Amino acid sequence: MALRGADAVRRGAAGVRWYVTSLMGDTAYARYCAHLRRDHADAPVPTEREYWRARHAAADARPGARCC
């Protein structure tokens, strides 16, 4: 019984971790690289630094409905 409880806690913690990292954008670069490799195999994959620079530049150029 205690093993099932510990398993549930681990699954819950993993779910919270997934949610927070997705919410904060920690997985954005990995998802973008996977998209490039899958849909644009001949396109060069930017470094993580280049990706974040371009992403922030695009957000600054088109603020949209952001609060800040």
Side-chain angles (χ1 to χ4, degrees):
M1 183 82 153
L3 185 57
R4 277 195 276 170
D7 223 17
V9 169
R10 273 195 289 278
R11 282 195 313 270
V16 169
R17 182 180 184 280
W18 170 85
Y19 178 75
V20 170
T21 57
S22 296
L23 183 67
M24 298 303 293
D26 292 353
T27 59
Y29 176 69
R31 284 187 290 119
Y32 181 70
C33 289
H35 160 75
L36 280 180
R37 290 185 183 109
R38 182 181 61 246
D39 298 333
H40 310 282
D42 55 338
V45 176
T47 64
E48 189 168 2
R49 184 181 190 124
E50 293 169 338
Y51 167 78
W52 285 111
R53 276 198 179 144
R55 183 171 171 154
H56 289 299
D60 289 343
R62 295 181 309 274
R66 292 189 329 198
C67 66
C68 314

